[in-house]
Amino acid sequence: MITYKERLNKITTLIFDIDGVLTNGDITFLKDEVVRTLNSRDGYAIQLAVKMGFSIFIITGGNSEIIKKSLLGLGVKEVHLSSFNKLNVIE
């Protein structure tokens, strides 16, 4: 029987949402836009994971092109915006 520690070594891909995962959950409303604050430590961790060979994907219901551009700049393979059925995107 394979242990969970052995299974961890087989992980190659990490998939995240943004709200409440890469943010603290706070949302600020400025005029006609919603502003989310990403943690710089998460950005560092994403870059490190990419350097270690992990594939990183983001699936979010948000639609911020600025966040998408920033995440792609960190080495994220794909960022899917306006995705409300995340399981469909994964499949």
Side-chain angles (χ1 to χ4, degrees):
M1 178 181 234
I2 189 168
T3 68
Y4 81 92
K5 287 184 180 180
E6 292 169 320
R7 289 182 181 168
L8 290 175
N9 290 326
K10 295 182 179 192
I11 294 173
T12 60
T13 303
L14 303 170
I15 303 170
F16 299 106
D17 189 2
I18 291 178
D19 293 330
V21 178
L22 299 179
T23 70
N24 64 1
D26 289 346
I27 297 175
T28 303
F29 297 95
L30 296 177
K31 203 171 181 178
D32 295 329
E33 67 180 299
V34 175
V35 178
R36 292 166 178 85
T37 303
L38 301 183
N39 190 313
S40 61
R41 292 180 184 137
D42 290 332
Y44 176 80
I46 288 170
Q47 285 182 321
L48 181 59
V50 169
K51 288 178 184 174
M52 293 176 66
F54 289 95
S55 297
I56 310 292
F57 295 85
I58 305 292
I59 305 171
T60 181
N63 61 0
S64 174
E65 288 293 331
I66 294 170
I67 289 179
K68 179 177 181 176
K69 183 178 178 180
S70 296
L71 291 168
L72 291 173
L74 294 174
V76 172
K77 287 221 182 239
E78 294 180 24
V79 178
H80 296 268
L81 301 176
S82 301
S83 300
F84 299 102
N85 189 334
K86 293 171 178 66
L87 186 57
N88 283 348
V89 176
I90 290 170
E91 291 173 344

